[in-house]
Amino acid sequence: MRPDLRRALPHALLALCAIAAALPATAQEGAPPAISDIRQETTELSTRLIVECQGPIAYTYYSPDPLTLVVDIPGVDASQLPSRVEVGTREVESLRITQMARADGRSLARLEVRLASLVPYQIFSKDRQLHLLFERGGSGAEAAPPGAPTAAPLPVEAEEPAFVEEAPRPPAPVRQAPAPRSTPTAPASRLLGVSHSVRGGSLTVSVEADGALDYQDFFLPNPDRLVFDFMGVSASLPSGRVSIGAEPVRQVRVAQFSADSPKVARMVLDLAERSPYQVVPTASGLQVVFGEGAAPDPAPMAAMRPAQAEPAPVDPYAIEPMGSGIQLARDLDPQLPMPALQEPALPPDAPKVIVAEGSDDPKWTGHPISLDFKDGDLQDIFRLFADITGLNVVINPGVSGRVTLVLKEVPWDQALDLILKVNNLGYVIEDNVLRIATLADLQREESERRKLAEERALAGDLETQQFRLSYAKGGDLQPTLEKVALSARGTITLDARTNTMIISDLPANIAQARELIADLDTSTPQVEIESRIVVTTRNFTRDIGIQWGFSSRQIPPLGNTTNRAFPNSIIINGQGVPSLGGLSADQLALGTDAGIGTEGRGYAVNLPASGFTSALGVSLGNIIGSFNLDAALTALERQGRGRLLSSPKVTTQNNQSAEIKQGVQIPIQTVANNTVTVQFQDAVLTLEVTPQITAEGTVILDVEVENNSADFANLVQGIPPILTQSASTNVLVADGDTAVIGGIYQSQEQTTRNRVPFFSKIPILGLLFRNDFVTTQNNELLIFITPRIIKR
């Protein structure tokens, strides 16, 4: 290298360093964009704060208490701004700016706006500006001019919110303006104790420390709590819980909220009711005074503290800043007006948006929150839920991705469940740690955990014990014991002669088998079952018949001819025409025969009763015997009744089947290929039943009854048919009661009328030309069942 260049090189490097140092922060590689200015625009009805930034603005905001609005702007630098700006208008009291460092190393600018009264507000970004607009909604109050001293805080009731419920809850507890702090000699590093005292109806909670406390207080509803965060302090107390029991504080809980730098100790006062309070700082701690008569004025902005990294007051409604997008969490106090939000428009290629409304499902018990993310990082979102739930969150490796969602007043546990579902994730809660992993990882862990538990359960030496059974059979209990009590290493050996079970297994399984055998090997009650089969028959038969005939002769012997050439003689009678045909003139001397049934005598109408048992006959004739009339009336009436009672009875144990039979076996002979085969067919009375005794003392019967009998009156090739009567059912009957489990009723009626055509239809006289036969038969079958539990 040339000597002159060697001498000029150091001077050139120094010049380049000076130029790089003079460049703005945005021009330096890796430096975050900075907030260059915060401007205030005040009108008669509104106050607008404009945040100027050197780059695009992504923001989140939440309300830790009714009069505080916190806006987080990730990825920007606010170290060049003052830590506190006095606004002093009717809407805004002051603005506090804090530069923080996130856990991932990125910077975070926090704007804490202290409101002077409850007013609606809008937050929106435009170009590289963030606008915070606070409006009185046309109240007519005049705004304080810029630069004027801080306006006195207005009471909460001084201005009616835009959206207030008709019956709002009591306002959140507010504290009065504290007395000016004395300059501490040294900041506190440890909390030493918490005590309380009651004087004149006021409660004072004292916090002792080894120096002055730098604190931030806020209120949490549902349930009501007052929270103090002490910056740079360790909570080294012997007990983290102090019982107060004096109105309005039930107890005080102290714990280390953050152990990393900067340290944060948190004190939570569980309130029985909302009450005004004031905070009095001291040189060695502070005092929280609750008392009657304290004016419920809105608390002013917290005292100015150095611009240092400190954690936000996190509560179930506070949202941790995300990498991008918008998220919203509002206190659900009904006295708070709902802000008019101007949501940014999403680009056409934005990810799918998940929208969920509030749910009344009782399985969701978390506090309602509202979230709005555009392409938010999952790990940042899960870190947010760590603050919402108060649980420690551990995220497994491999859990990554982004999600876009809009949730409005949704329980936080439902919101978490929705996010996990759409990303195929799950969670496990172990004590106070919420661990999030993929479903595949959780399934694999559960499978490995189950296998490990099984291996541990199977480890150990085997024992062998004998169990002699008294009532149960070993073969009946073996399947149950193998499924319920024994491990995979367990075995059962049966000795049928002594009804003994020999079990080899781990000691715990042996003990379980012993208990199970003691429960199952017990005596069972017995049941006596009686059945009655009643068969009744009734029949009636009536048969009424008539017979009558006549003969009329006009013949020469009787001298009553017609005196004509033709016809001279006439013979008319009612007897049947002989098979040979024709009528004899007077060969049989019909005129001299008389009486019914006289040989050769016939009837004009012959309709007698079949098998009649009674008859009445009449025979009439004239003096010369030229005309004869015979009539006979026959009748039969028969009535019969029958009753057959069968009563089988059997006794058996509970849940054991029993059967009883009585009857005959009919041999049926068949011949095939010159081989004679005889088979026997049962014609028996059978009762088969299985009882089950219930806890109420009733009996469930699975019963089958048959009453079969042979009909020898109607043989078929010498073999009688079998008359069958049976019932099969399942019925519930009380102990000792009788139930009808089946019944058949048959009724048969038959009417037969034999008559002479045409003449039988003549009124009254038609009775002489017909025969009436009427028969009626009724059969009835009833089956009764009666169980009786045999008590010892």
Side-chain angles (χ1 to χ4, degrees):
M1 182 179 292
R2 294 168 49 185
D4 55 346
L5 292 179
R6 187 182 299 111
R7 289 192 300 269
L9 183 59
H11 299 284
L13 292 177
L14 291 176
L16 289 176
C17 293
I19 294 173
L23 291 176
T26 55
Q28 299 182 24
E29 183 179 357
I35 298 178
S36 58
D37 189 20
I38 297 180
R39 294 185 289 108
Q40 172 184 343
E41 295 180 0
T42 304
T43 66
E44 294 182 354
L45 299 178
S46 65
T47 298
R48 182 190 300 265
L49 300 179
I50 303 174
V51 181
E52 299 280 355
C53 188
Q54 296 176 350
I57 296 180
Y59 64 93
T60 64
Y61 63 94
Y62 61 91
S63 297
D65 62 71
L67 293 176
T68 303
L69 173 65
V70 178
V71 181
D72 285 339
I73 307 176
V76 299
D77 181 17
S79 59
Q80 304 301 321
L81 299 177
S83 61
R84 184 182 179 92
V85 176
E86 296 292 341
V87 180
T89 66
R90 294 291 298 274
E91 296 81 26
V92 181
E93 179 183 293
S94 60
L95 173 65
R96 180 184 174 195
I97 302 101
T98 305
Q99 179 65 33
M100 303 178 62
R102 295 174 42 141
D104 56 4
R106 291 183 292 176
S107 60
L108 172 70
R110 172 161 294 172
L111 309 181
E112 183 177 344
V113 182
R114 185 64 183 179
L115 303 180
S117 60
L118 291 175
V119 294
Y121 55 86
Q122 299 183 43
I123 303 177
F124 59 92
S125 61
K126 183 179 181 182
D127 297 331
R128 296 187 177 184
Q129 295 179 346
L130 178 64
H131 293 254
L132 287 73
L133 178 59
F134 304 89
E135 299 177 306
R136 287 198 295 275
S139 63
E142 296 182 358
T150 303
L154 296 177
V156 176
E157 296 80 9
E159 182 173 342
E160 184 69 14
F163 302 93
V164 179
E165 296 182 0
E166 294 182 4
R169 298 180 298 178
V174 295
R175 59 181 175 88
Q176 296 177 336
R181 297 190 186 186
S182 60
T183 303
T185 56
S189 60
R190 290 188 305 112
L191 293 182
L192 302 179
V194 177
S195 60
H196 71 283
S197 61
V198 179
R199 295 180 183 177
S202 64
L203 170 65
T204 301
V205 178
S206 301
V207 181
E208 298 294 332
D210 59 355
L213 290 172
D214 182 16
Y215 70 91
Q216 182 174 0
D217 59 309
F218 55 93
F219 171 75
L220 297 179
N222 299 324
D224 294 338
R225 289 154 293 164
L226 183 61
V227 181
F228 286 82
D229 279 348
F230 304 112
M231 313 306 171
V233 176
S234 298
S236 56
L237 300 181
S239 175
R241 191 181 300 268
V242 178
S243 178
I244 302 297
E247 296 295 336
V249 181
R250 294 197 303 266
Q251 66 175 356
V252 177
R253 294 176 285 128
V254 180
Q256 191 70 37
F257 181 74
S258 175
D260 298 333
S261 178
K263 297 181 179 179
V264 179
R266 171 164 292 185
M267 179 179 69
V268 180
L269 287 75
D270 295 327
L271 304 179
E273 61 181 5
R274 303 187 183 188
S275 176
Y277 68 94
Q278 61 179 352
V279 181
V280 181
T282 64
S284 59
L286 58 80
Q287 293 180 341
V288 185
V289 181
F290 298 87
E292 298 180 358
D297 296 333
M301 190 72 177
M304 184 178 67
R305 305 178 184 88
Q308 58 181 0
E310 60 183 42
V314 181
D315 60 87
Y317 302 92
I319 306 302
E320 187 73 9
M322 293 291 103
S324 61
I326 300 175
Q327 55 184 340
L328 166 64
R330 288 299 312 275
D331 188 291
L332 297 184
D333 194 321
Q335 285 193 340
L336 287 180
M338 294 299 295
L341 298 180
Q342 181 176 352
E343 299 182 355
L346 296 178
D349 58 347
K352 184 179 179 180
V353 178
I354 307 167
V355 181
E357 296 293 340
S359 173
D360 294 332
D361 195 328
K363 71 178 182 180
W364 308 120
T365 58
H367 298 288
I369 62 173
S370 295
L371 302 176
D372 191 335
F373 292 106
K374 175 187 175 184
D375 200 22
D377 185 81
L378 280 180
Q379 296 199 2
D380 287 338
I381 295 176
F382 292 143
R383 290 182 61 252
L384 158 68
F385 280 98
D387 298 327
I388 294 177
T389 62
L391 299 173
N392 298 314
V393 174
V394 176
I395 303 176
N396 272 24
V399 175
S400 61
R402 313 191 76 83
V403 66
T404 298
L405 56 85
V406 178
L407 302 177
K408 300 178 181 179
E409 303 299 336
V410 175
W412 68 259
D413 46 354
Q414 183 185 10
L416 177 61
D417 186 69
L418 288 171
I419 296 173
L420 294 175
K421 283 183 178 179
V422 299
N423 290 279
N424 294 323
L425 300 176
Y427 69 91
V428 176
I429 296 181
E430 301 172 356
D431 295 331
N432 64 337
V433 177
L434 175 68
R435 186 165 61 88
I436 298 175
T438 62
L439 293 179
D441 289 343
L442 293 178
Q443 292 173 357
R444 183 178 64 257
E445 291 175 5
E446 185 63 26
S447 176
E448 293 175 353
R449 186 182 301 109
R450 183 169 59 254
K451 292 180 180 178
L452 179 59
E454 292 175 355
E455 293 297 331
R456 290 177 177 175
L458 295 178
D461 298 331
L462 298 180
E463 292 185 1
T464 301
Q465 288 194 15
Q466 301 176 5
F467 299 91
R468 178 168 295 181
L469 305 180
S470 300
Y471 302 98
K473 296 293 184 181
D476 296 336
L477 290 187
Q478 181 176 0
T480 303
L481 291 174
E482 290 176 343
K483 290 181 180 180
V484 177
L486 298 191
S487 67
R489 299 176 61 189
T491 59
I492 297 179
T493 304
L494 300 178
D495 181 16
R497 185 180 63 86
T498 59
N499 198 25
T500 300
M501 303 184 73
I502 304 173
I503 302 178
S504 297
D505 207 338
L506 299 171
N509 298 92
I510 291 287
Q512 188 175 358
R514 182 186 300 106
E515 295 178 358
L516 188 57
I517 291 174
D519 293 336
L520 299 180
D521 186 27
T522 57
S523 62
T524 57
Q526 298 186 123
V527 183
E528 178 188 75
I529 302 99
E530 180 180 3
S531 178
R532 292 184 180 88
I533 304 173
V534 181
V535 181
T536 61
T537 60
R538 293 190 300 272
N539 58 73
F540 173 78
T541 302
R542 176 181 292 161
D543 192 359
I544 300 176
I546 190 169
Q547 295 173 290
W548 62 270
F550 69 92
S551 65
S552 174
R553 296 183 299 172
Q554 290 179 310
I555 56 177
L558 298 178
N560 58 353
T561 61
T562 62
N563 296 322
R564 295 179 181 179
F566 182 85
N568 183 266
S569 298
I570 299 174
I571 299 176
I572 301 175
N573 61 37
Q575 72 178 29
V577 179
S579 59
L580 297 178
L583 296 174
S584 59
D586 193 17
Q587 297 176 1
L588 298 178
L590 295 179
T592 60
D593 294 334
I596 299 173
T598 303
E599 182 180 358
R601 198 79 171 252
Y603 299 97
V605 176
N606 188 18
L607 299 173
S610 177
F612 59 88
T613 58
S614 58
L616 177 63
V618 178
S619 180
L620 303 175
N622 59 8
I623 193 170
I624 63 173
S626 62
F627 185 82
N628 296 289
L629 177 64
D630 299 331
L633 179 66
T634 59
L636 169 67
E637 185 171 296
R638 182 169 55 242
Q639 183 175 1
R641 293 188 178 184
R643 181 172 181 267
L644 175 63
L645 174 64
S646 303
S647 182
K649 182 185 298 184
V650 67
T651 301
T652 183
Q653 289 188 344
N654 184 31
N655 292 315
Q656 297 296 321
S657 178
E659 182 181 18
I660 186 172
K661 293 183 178 180
Q662 185 269 331
V664 297
Q665 287 186 327
I666 302 174
I668 300 176
Q669 180 176 329
T670 58
V671 179
N673 298 326
N674 297 324
T675 301
V676 178
T677 304
V678 178
Q679 296 179 343
F680 290 89
Q681 182 69 36
D682 290 340
V684 297
L685 171 65
T686 304
L687 171 64
E688 184 177 359
V689 63
T690 302
Q692 177 183 345
I693 302 175
T694 67
E696 291 79 11
T698 58
V699 183
I700 299 175
L701 298 174
D702 187 2
V703 60
E704 184 173 354
V705 181
E706 291 186 0
N707 186 21
N708 301 332
S709 60
D711 185 8
F712 291 99
N714 300 293
L715 300 177
V716 178
Q717 295 182 357
I719 300 175
I722 297 177
L723 303 177
T724 300
Q725 299 168 340
S726 64
S728 179
T729 184
N730 188 282
V731 65
L732 175 65
V733 187
D735 180 23
D737 288 357
T738 300
V740 180
I741 64 171
I744 299 175
Y745 180 80
Q746 289 181 318
S747 179
Q748 181 179 0
E749 296 182 0
Q750 179 180 356
T751 300
T752 303
R753 177 169 291 179
N754 300 317
R755 57 190 179 182
V756 177
F758 178 74
F759 294 100
S760 62
K761 296 181 180 180
I762 300 175
I764 301 177
L765 293 179
L767 297 175
L768 301 176
F769 297 91
R770 67 190 183 202
N771 167 263
D772 293 329
F773 177 81
V774 178
T775 179
T776 302
Q777 185 173 359
N778 296 325
N779 297 322
E780 186 173 6
L781 169 67
L782 293 175
I783 302 176
F784 302 86
I785 197 76
T786 303
R788 296 182 181 89
I789 301 175
I790 300 176
K791 301 178 175 63
R792 297 182 181 273

